[in-house]
Amino acid sequence: MVLRERISEHTYVFRSNMYAKVNAGLINTPEGCILIDTLPYPEETQEIVHFVRRRLRSQVKYVILTHSHADHVYGAYLFPDAEVIGHLYARKLLLTQTKPALIKARTINPSLADVRLIMPAILMEKEAAVRLGGATLIMRHAPGHAPDVISVYYKEEKVLFASDAMMPIPYFVHGDIHDLRNTLQELARVSPVEDLVQGHGDVLLRGEVKTVIEDHLHYLDCVENHVDRVLAQGGGKDALLSLDVEDCGIPRIALEGLATQLHQENLVTLFLRKRKALRSDRKQRQVA
Ligand SMILES: [Zn+2]
């Protein structure tokens, strides 16, 4: 069973209990619903379909895909009558990364047999808005976790859907650490916010938002400083991985115990990127 939370008058959050506590958001208006992301497994998204149909006696008019990652988009095909919205970069990423991953995942997981990827038909770049039944949703490009992430701010109820720009541990392996830092700083400026729905995990309340964003910025600085130090000292993998996730303020148990793994992926990714940049710098200087 999917966990369902009503966080404000017209806003529901559905959380996967099958994979990494992925969140989907639902705004219910008199003219229909807007769904923000879907859940990893079809049987979970199906629970949203039933809830909208049987409990709300409504239908989903728009599905906003906050980015192209599998765990957020696999359920979009269950809303054939909805308009699907995404970032300009999402189409390419869906075709080149999510699709091959789906083909592979299907061979291991038969419950994904019917999943079809839906390409967003409405594309946005920097900022766009949806209006439906008195609800205004402002979508903004929020890269860093991935290049195509968008955040969604539900103005009337002051709910900020931060997508994977906010999850229990910052994760930039498919994106860029500097973009993520800028995005977090921008999210901190969105005001007023009563609830912040992360891409994964618990909903943050007004009083927690600023502190958690600061913790995430601290985590990114901690990781980057360590990587710079290891590179300067010519250290290898052991030195790189000697930094525990808890040394940077994120509990090891975060995201159902995935924190250490994601943290190590962050370290290795940043190390390799910086080492490559240093080497090509050196090469250029030699040529000059
Ligand atoms: Zn993601």
Side-chain angles (χ1 to χ4, degrees):
M1 279 290 281
V2 167
L3 180 102
R4 188 183 72 234
E5 238 184 299
R6 186 176 188 174
I7 60 167
S8 61
E9 196 184 346
H10 298 99
T11 313
Y12 299 84
V13 171
F14 297 83
R15 183 167 308 131
S16 170
N17 61 13
M18 293 174 75
Y19 179 74
K21 295 187 173 181
V22 175
N23 287 318
L26 183 78
I27 318 285
N28 178 29
T29 88
E31 288 171 28
C33 295
I34 304 168
L35 181 64
I36 300 161
D37 282 343
T38 63
L39 294 177
Y41 289 95
E43 65 246 56
E44 296 184 298
T45 304
Q46 204 72 57
E47 289 187 41
I48 304 177
V49 173
H50 289 158
F51 179 76
V52 170
R53 206 179 287 155
R54 292 180 196 159
R55 293 284 296 277
L56 302 179
R57 302 205 173 278
S58 185
Q59 54 178 307
V60 172
K61 291 277 173 70
Y62 295 100
V63 176
I64 301 173
L65 297 178
T66 67
H67 62 307
S68 54
H69 285 169
D71 46 346
H72 298 261
V73 304
Y74 274 0
Y77 78 102
L78 293 167
F79 304 91
D81 300 322
E83 302 271 12
V84 179
I85 305 172
H87 192 269
L88 203 57
Y89 300 151
R91 279 182 84 94
K92 192 174 161 202
L93 292 168
L94 282 164
L95 288 169
T96 58
Q97 295 183 14
T98 319
K99 199 172 180 187
L102 172 61
I103 292 167
K104 209 167 138 198
R106 267 197 202 122
T107 61
I108 312 164
N109 200 321
S111 72
L112 299 175
D114 295 334
V115 173
R116 283 180 298 114
L117 289 184
I118 304 295
M119 294 297 130
I122 303 173
L123 302 174
M124 59 156 286
E125 196 170 5
K126 281 218 158 345
E127 191 171 313
V130 186
R131 277 280 296 176
L132 183 74
T136 315
L137 271 63
I138 301 162
M139 303 174 285
R140 293 191 181 96
H141 191 204
H145 167 77
D148 61 335
V149 175
I150 53 184
S151 67
V152 182
Y153 180 56
Y154 177 14
K155 201 172 151 213
E156 286 76 11
E157 295 193 351
K158 308 173 184 72
V159 181
L160 178 59
F161 297 88
S163 182
D164 284 1
M166 293 285 293
M167 48 195 271
I169 169 168
Y171 185 60
F172 54 81
V173 166
H174 305 287
D176 178 273
I177 187 171
H178 304 293
D179 286 347
L180 186 53
R181 204 178 267 129
N182 290 336
T183 286
L184 288 171
Q185 282 159 352
E186 270 177 35
L187 291 175
R189 282 195 288 270
V190 178
S191 174
V193 173
E194 284 295 328
D195 302 270
L196 184 145
V197 182
Q198 309 188 91
H200 299 250
D202 295 338
V203 174
L204 305 178
L205 303 176
R206 185 178 53 185
E208 303 171 297
V209 171
K210 286 256 147 67
T211 326
V212 176
I213 292 179
E214 269 163 30
D215 290 349
H216 285 196
L217 287 166
H218 166 74
Y219 170 82
L220 295 179
D221 289 344
C222 177
V223 163
E224 184 157 30
N225 290 337
H226 177 72
V227 168
D228 286 342
R229 227 170 9 243
V230 172
L231 278 168
Q233 293 165 354
K237 200 173 175 193
D238 286 345
L240 182 66
L241 297 183
S242 68
L243 182 77
D244 194 272
V245 66
E246 298 209 336
D247 298 337
C248 296
I250 302 284
R252 233 168 272 160
I253 53 155
L255 201 61
E256 301 184 306
L258 283 173
T260 294
Q261 185 197 325
L262 301 188
H263 168 67
Q264 292 184 346
E265 290 176 21
N266 281 336
L267 285 171
V268 171
T269 302
L270 190 61
F271 178 84
L272 293 176
R273 283 177 190 164
K274 282 189 177 251
R275 195 177 65 182
K276 196 174 164 198
L278 280 174
R279 283 179 178 167
S280 76
D281 253 20
R282 233 173 272 148
K283 233 181 231 164
Q284 268 173 1
R285 249 178 285 137
Q286 277 166 0
V287 174

